[in-house]
Amino acid sequence: MVFLDKLFSEFASLVWGLPLLILLTGGGLYLLLYSRFLPFRFIGHAIQVLRGKYDDPNDPGEISHFQALTTALSATVGMGNIAGVAVAIAIGGPGAVFWMWVSAIIGMATKFFTSSLAVMYRGKDSEGNLQGGPMYFIMEGLGKKWKPLAVMFSVCGLVGALPIFNVNQLTQAINDILLAPNDIEIGFKSSFIIGLVLVGITSVVILGGIDRISKTAEKLVPSMVVLYFVLVLIILAVHIDEVPKYFRMIFSNAFTADNFKGDSFLGGALGGLILLGIRRAAFSNEAGIGTAPMAHGAAKTAEPIREGLVAMLGPAIDTLLVCTLTALAILVTGVWQTSEANGVSLTASAFAHAIPGYGKYLLLICIFVFSISSLFSYSYYGSKCMSFLFGADKKHYYNYIYIASIILGATTSLNMMINLIDGFFALMAIPTMLATLIMAPRVLKRVKIYVATLQKS
């Protein structure tokens, strides 16, 4: 286990190097500037689309704009927001949050382009069903000679979509918040039992396909975001005097790296802090990774730009709203300086400190629903990769691999799981971003047509 832990750590560090930093952040910044800040100019229109103003039941696709966004959000609004932010602050201090914000703003442009392409260039699987996602827009948009990129994305997606990190952190939360304080022995046995329960719940939903997954996500995600929002507002109200101080620290520490405890990058702590923030934001909102376009590619729409505008709301909700709430809860309660905990346990300490008695249990409810909804969506992503590689008639086999990996996630260490998934997430970003940057002019050409049509109507 020690050898594997070291191997996965070196693997993640290798792929999350300077080339990927330039591709994800530099590529996203280029898309933001190239589109003349389109995500911010059309944010009002995007909300109208999300509310169903332009829905047409006769459009091609499987699910509505709202269901597509909530399915994508059910994957991104999860442990990355609750545990990932805590990891970032534990290593990088308040300054890491600033770089998560930067990554999210850039990520809005990336999500717009990748999800527009997912609808522009939908392909058909071996059964003739319409499908969307990076592997399909690479093949349909760039041609068969680019198939190695599509295959690379799908192979990495088989591992990157595994629920190991979410399950690992949910198991840790149940052990630390529910079992240990009530004198129930925690260890391999308790984690294994939690894993079995999660297997049962997940199986019921994921074996029903995208329709059942989207309908479940549509009900779970909005209510949990609201509950989480209310809980953090209570924490901020209790520590209202501390809020301005930590907002200032997020900005000031972003350029000094005073509290940075991680590995240096490009010869300095500031480089390491920037990379940490971008890496954790990418893990949280997945902009540029290529997972969300698989959900948005299933949207019932004939207009790619419309779906791209809905998709760009994802990083705003995920990172600018939910991650910021988590960060402030951890910072204003002071637990990031007084606790040795990491990941979800650090966030739980903040809630227990601010809302004695009930806080950690209410957080556990949010964690449970966020994690479960993520489990549903990731299975869909992995099965789409399996379908592309081996044929639609084989995709159901992925669900069995996926379900088995839940037990693995419940019974292994945090660092090993983060590094494994981080590494494959990084590799998924390479084909997604390369194809998106190549085809970006086609998206903007379509934007001009869409805007002209809107002005006429």
Side-chain angles (χ1 to χ4, degrees):
M1 279 296 180
V2 173
F3 170 75
L4 285 176
D5 205 356
K6 186 180 178 184
L7 182 68
F8 290 157
S9 176
E10 289 177 357
F11 163 64
S13 296
L14 177 67
V15 293
W16 273 103
L18 183 60
L20 190 77
L21 182 66
I22 293 169
L23 184 63
L24 261 184
T25 310
L29 184 59
Y30 166 77
L31 293 172
L32 185 64
L33 297 172
Y34 183 58
S35 66
R36 297 179 184 176
F37 297 90
L38 183 142
F40 303 100
R41 291 188 288 119
F42 282 84
I43 201 158
H45 179 65
I47 293 168
Q48 287 182 323
V49 175
L50 182 65
R51 292 174 62 189
K53 183 176 178 180
Y54 300 92
D55 283 1
D56 184 345
N58 298 316
D59 280 343
E62 298 178 78
I63 55 179
S64 70
H65 293 294
F66 185 73
Q67 287 175 329
L69 181 63
T70 52
T71 300
L73 281 174
S74 70
T76 59
V77 178
M79 296 310 295
N81 304 83
I82 296 172
V85 175
V87 169
I89 291 174
I91 298 172
V97 180
F98 176 85
W99 296 109
M100 291 184 76
W101 288 347
V102 170
S103 182
I105 291 167
I106 292 170
M108 288 178 72
T110 306
K111 275 269 176 89
F112 167 75
F113 278 89
T114 56
S115 296
S116 295
L117 286 169
V119 178
M120 276 176 74
Y121 294 106
R122 287 196 267 213
K124 289 186 177 178
D125 61 22
S126 59
E127 293 179 344
N129 297 315
L130 208 59
Q131 300 288 354
M135 62 287 242
Y136 290 100
F137 69 63
I138 289 169
M139 289 291 291
E140 300 298 319
L142 296 177
K144 290 184 178 178
K145 65 180 179 181
W146 292 84
K147 189 173 182 179
L149 270 188
V151 170
M152 177 187 174
F153 173 84
S154 300
V155 169
C156 294
L158 292 176
V159 180
L162 290 174
I164 298 171
F165 174 74
N166 271 304
V167 171
N168 179 278
Q169 287 292 274
L170 177 56
T171 303
Q172 183 181 323
I174 293 171
N175 280 330
D176 292 354
I177 298 171
L178 192 62
L179 303 186
N182 292 297
D183 298 322
I184 298 171
E185 186 180 346
I186 61 172
F188 179 84
K189 185 179 177 182
S190 68
S191 298
F192 184 74
I193 292 169
I194 292 166
L196 288 177
V197 172
L198 295 177
V199 163
I201 296 169
T202 307
S203 301
V204 171
V205 176
I206 70 172
L207 298 178
I210 183 61
D211 188 54
R212 191 181 295 174
I213 291 169
S214 65
K215 285 178 179 173
T216 306
E218 182 183 33
K219 293 179 177 67
L220 288 177
V221 174
S223 56
M224 278 306 102
V225 170
V226 170
L227 174 59
Y228 193 65
F229 188 75
V230 170
L231 290 176
V232 177
L233 285 182
I234 292 170
I235 293 173
L236 298 184
V238 171
H239 296 87
I240 193 67
D241 295 340
E242 297 289 317
V243 174
K245 168 188 166 184
Y246 282 107
F247 250 115
R248 287 193 296 272
M249 277 187 74
I250 287 171
F251 287 94
S252 61
N253 279 33
F255 301 96
T256 60
D258 289 343
N259 296 283
F260 184 68
K261 305 183 188 77
D263 297 328
S264 63
F265 184 70
L266 296 179
L270 180 58
L273 180 64
I274 294 169
L275 185 63
L276 172 71
I278 290 168
R279 189 167 161 180
R280 292 273 60 84
F283 189 78
S284 178
N285 64 49
E286 297 170 24
I289 304 298
T291 47
M294 288 191 271
H296 289 286
K300 193 179 280 291
T301 182
E303 181 44 70
I305 302 307
R306 207 170 278 157
E307 193 56 35
L309 292 171
V310 170
M312 77 181 188
L313 296 173
I317 296 168
D318 176 274
T319 307
L320 297 180
L321 177 61
V322 184
C323 285
T324 301
L325 291 176
T326 303
L328 287 173
I330 292 168
L331 293 172
V332 300
T333 53
V335 295
W336 66 286
Q337 291 175 307
T338 59
S339 173
E340 291 297 315
N342 198 351
V344 71
S345 299
L346 183 62
T347 311
S349 298
F351 275 70
H353 181 274
I355 312 173
Y358 301 103
K360 61 183 181 180
Y361 296 112
L362 291 169
L363 175 66
L364 184 59
I365 293 170
C366 292
I367 289 169
F368 185 78
V369 175
F370 283 157
S371 296
I372 288 293
S373 61
S374 295
L375 293 183
F376 303 156
S377 299
Y378 277 117
S379 69
Y380 173 65
Y381 297 154
S383 65
K384 284 194 79 161
C385 292
M386 177 74 90
S387 173
F388 179 81
L389 291 169
F390 305 108
D393 59 325
K394 307 287 194 307
K395 69 179 180 182
H396 64 283
Y397 290 120
Y398 184 79
N399 287 333
Y400 306 129
I401 299 168
Y402 188 88
I403 288 165
S405 75
I406 291 175
I407 300 294
L408 178 67
T411 54
T412 46
S413 77
L414 168 62
N415 283 340
M416 190 187 296
M417 293 304 98
I418 284 186
N419 288 324
L420 178 68
I421 302 301
D422 260 7
F424 278 94
F425 254 44
L427 293 176
M428 289 167 72
I430 295 170
T432 302
M433 287 301 295
L434 284 176
T436 301
L437 289 167
I438 292 167
M439 291 190 280
R442 304 186 203 178
V443 177
L444 281 197
K445 191 174 179 181
R446 190 73 182 244
V447 169
K448 289 176 184 175
I449 297 168
Y450 181 67
V451 171
T453 305
L454 272 182
Q455 288 171 345
K456 287 178 185 174
S457 60

